[in-house]
Amino acid sequence: MKRIKSILLAIAMLLAAPAFFTSCQEDAPEINYTMNVSVINDFTKVVEAINNGFLKNEEAIKKLTETIDKMNTDQKTKLQAIIDVLTSVNATLETKLTTIEAAMKAQTLTLESKLTLLETAIKNQTLKQEEMADKLITAINNLQGSMEAKIEAITEAINNVNTTLQSKLALIEAAIKAQTLSLEAKLDLIEAAIKALPDYSSQLAAIKTAIENLPDYGDKLAAIEAAIKAMPNYSDKFDAVTTALNAMKAQIEALGTGQASIVEAINNTTAAINALIAAVNSDNTSAAAALAQIIQKLEELKNKIGGGGSTPAAEYVDLGLPSGLKWAKCNLGATKPEEFGNYYAWGETEPKTEYTWDNYKWGTKDNQTKYNATDGKTVLDPEDDAATVKLGSPWRMPTIDEIQELINNCTWTWTTKDGINGYEVKGKNGNAIFLPGAGGKGPDISTTSKWGRYWSSSLYAKRSNDSNYFFFASDEYTLGLIDRHYGFTIRPVRP
C-alpha cells in the first residue's frame, strides 16, 4: 500500500510539472528572455531586449553589432531592417541611439549605408546634423583594410550622388578627426573630395572644414595646397587660396595675441599671393606660372611657422609597452616632467578655478547630459578629450585599460624630482617617465605632491556620474572611480 501511494504521488508531481514550470517562467520572464537572446542571435530579438531594458550600454552595443554582422542577408535588406528601428514609434530613444552606434561599428555595412542611416536619424530628429561627424568618426575608425581601402570607401561615399552636401562635409570633418587615418591619407582625401564636389562654394566649404579640424598649422597649409591643386580652373584656385588663408588667419587670431607672429606671416604670404593674382589679371604672367609661385609661397609659409598649432608640440617616451602606446613626457599644460600642469574636470577641455557639480559642463550628479545611459558613450569623444583638443590628434587621454597596461608592464619607484614627489615609471626597454604627485582640485581635495590623481578617458558604465581614474601615493598605485566634476591632471598618450 505504501508503494502504491508513492507511485500515485510521483504521477501527481509529473502531472503538476507543466504548471510548476509555467509558474516559474511567469515569475522570471527577464531571465528567460535574456537566455533566449543569448541563444537566438537574431536582430529583432536583440532590439527587443534593448527596448525592454534587458540589454544596456556597451553590452547592448556589442551584442547588436555582432548581430548586424551575422545577419545573413543582402546590404539593402540589412539596411532596411535597421532603418525600421530608427523610424519605429515603439522604439525608445535609447534603443535608436544604441542601434546607430552598433551600425557605425558593424563591419558588414558599407560607409554609404551608414551615411543613409545617419541621414534617416537626422530626418526623424533622433540625431542633430552637428552630431553626424562624431558618429562618422566611429564608422571610419572601425573601417577594416589598408589605408588605401579606407580612403577608397570614404571617397566612394563622397562621390555618391545621393549623399547630401551636409553629409559630405560631415564625412570630410570625420575623416580629418579620425585617429586611424594618416595625414597623407587625409590630404589625399581632401584632394579627392574637391574633385568630387560639384561647385566652387561646396569646394570652399570642404577646404574650410579641413582647416578648422586640422590642429597643426603646417597640416592646414598642406590641405590648402592639396585642395587648390585639385580645383579645375585657375580662377577658383586663386580665390580659394586667399579665402582659405583668411579663414586660417581668423581661426589663429581667435587664439589670442600670442599668435601675432603667425598672423603676420600669413598676412605677408596673402599679400604676396594677391600680387601674383593681380599680375595674372593684368596679363603680366601666366596663370600656371602664378600657381607654381603660389604653391612655393605656401611652402615657405609652412617652413616659417613650422608644425606649430594652438599648443606646443609634446614630447613622448616609448616604454616598450605591448600595445606600442607612447606616453607624453609631461602632464598636459606642463613644460617639464615635474610640473603639475593643468587640472581638468572629466570631459572638459579648459582648466578653471573651481571644480564642483554646479559648474560641471555635462550636468549634475543625478543628471548627466552626455556620457550617460541614454547615449551609451563610455569613452570621451575627441572634442571632449582635453589632450586631443590641446595637442591635436593623435594625442588623447589614456583609457583605463591603457593605464592598467602601464601598471602591469613597468617598474614603479617612488622618488623625488626637483623637490616634487612622484613615481618614476620605467619600461622593460629601460626608458622612463616621471609622474608627479599633483593632487587634485575639488570641494574636499587640494593640490599636494603627497599623492596623484590622473584621469582616464573611460566612464564607469554602471554609474555614469563616475569616471575611472588612477590614484597613487608613496605606498600604493591603483585604479578607482570618482565623481566626474573633480579637477585632476592628465598625462596624454599617442600611438
Side-chain angles (χ1 to χ4, degrees), residues 88-304:
S88 171
V89 294
N90 296 319
T92 65
L93 177 60
E94 182 177 353
T95 299
K96 293 178 180 180
L97 292 174
T98 299
T99 302
I100 292 169
E101 193 70 18
M104 294 303 106
K105 293 183 176 182
Q107 298 298 311
T108 56
L109 281 176
T110 66
L111 194 55
E112 292 174 53
S113 293
K114 294 178 182 183
L115 269 174
T116 301
L117 288 174
L118 293 175
E119 288 174 349
T120 301
I122 290 168
K123 285 178 183 177
N124 67 18
Q125 298 183 328
T126 302
L127 289 178
K128 297 177 182 178
Q129 180 65 48
E130 55 267 29
E131 294 176 305
M132 177 181 270
D134 289 343
K135 300 301 179 185
L136 286 171
I137 291 171
T138 300
I140 292 172
N141 283 338
N142 281 277
L143 284 173
Q144 299 297 303
S146 65
M147 195 68 69
E148 291 76 14
K150 293 177 182 180
I151 292 300
E152 184 179 354
I154 299 169
T155 303
E156 285 179 1
I158 292 174
N159 285 335
N160 190 322
V161 293
N162 296 319
T163 305
T164 66
L165 176 59
Q166 284 182 311
S167 295
K168 290 178 180 181
L169 294 177
L171 192 52
I172 293 169
E173 179 183 344
I176 295 297
K177 290 180 175 179
Q179 296 184 5
T180 56
L181 298 181
S182 66
L183 175 62
E184 183 181 2
K186 292 175 183 181
L187 296 178
D188 287 344
L189 178 64
I190 291 167
E191 187 172 346
I194 295 299
K195 291 177 180 177
L197 291 169
D199 52 50
Y200 173 72
S201 62
S202 58
Q203 291 169 342
L204 191 60
I207 297 171
K208 288 182 177 179
T209 297
I211 291 171
E212 288 170 1
N213 292 287
L214 284 166
D216 183 283
Y217 295 158
D219 295 349
K220 294 176 193 287
L221 292 169
I224 296 173
E225 287 183 30
I228 63 173
K229 286 177 181 177
M231 298 182 87
N233 65 70
Y234 285 109
S235 177
D236 287 350
K237 292 175 190 285
F238 295 155
D239 286 344
V241 70
T242 54
T243 303
L245 283 173
N246 285 329
M248 180 176 168
K249 183 182 74 171
Q251 186 187 27
I252 295 170
E253 283 177 329
L255 298 173
T257 56
Q259 307 294 315
S261 61
I262 304 293
V263 171
E264 182 181 2
I266 294 174
N267 281 336
N268 293 338
T269 299
T270 305
I273 289 173
N274 281 329
L276 288 168
I277 295 171
V280 173
N281 293 335
S282 60
D283 294 327
N284 290 326
T285 189
S286 69
L291 181 62
Q293 291 184 64
I294 287 172
I295 297 296
Q296 181 60 38
K297 294 294 181 186
L298 291 175
E299 285 295 318
E300 291 172 1
L301 179 60
K302 193 189 301 182
N303 292 333
K304 182 172 290 185

Side-chain angles (χ1 to χ4, degrees), residues 374-424:
T374 301
D375 61 33
K377 293 176 180 288
T378 57
V379 177
L380 288 172
D381 288 333
E383 66 269 22
D384 301 323
D385 185 312
T388 303
V389 170
K390 296 299 182 183
L391 301 176
S393 178
W395 286 106
R396 57 180 175 80
M397 293 164 60
T399 65
I400 199 65
D401 290 338
E402 288 165 343
I403 296 175
Q404 185 67 63
E405 179 189 49
L406 187 72
I407 293 172
N408 293 345
N409 292 277
C410 293
T411 302
W412 292 68
T413 305
W414 183 258
T415 185
T416 301
K417 186 177 180 66
D418 291 339
I420 301 298
N421 295 324
Y423 272 99
E424 179 193 64

Side-chain angles (χ1 to χ4, degrees), residues 324-375:
L325 195 70
K326 314 297 190 300
W327 284 74
K329 186 176 286 187
C330 304
N331 285 353
L332 189 61
T335 58
K336 298 178 181 178
E338 66 273 16
E339 290 179 355
F340 292 173
N342 294 324
Y343 297 78
Y344 298 87
W346 191 86
E348 294 187 359
T349 58
E350 294 295 335
K352 51 192 182 184
T353 55
E354 292 185 351
Y355 295 82
T356 67
W357 280 117
D358 291 337
N359 66 4
Y360 181 59
K361 180 178 181 179
W362 301 116
T364 65
K365 185 178 181 69
D366 299 319
N367 181 30
Q368 297 83 48
T369 57
K370 189 175 183 182
Y371 306 102
N372 52 39
T374 301
D375 61 33

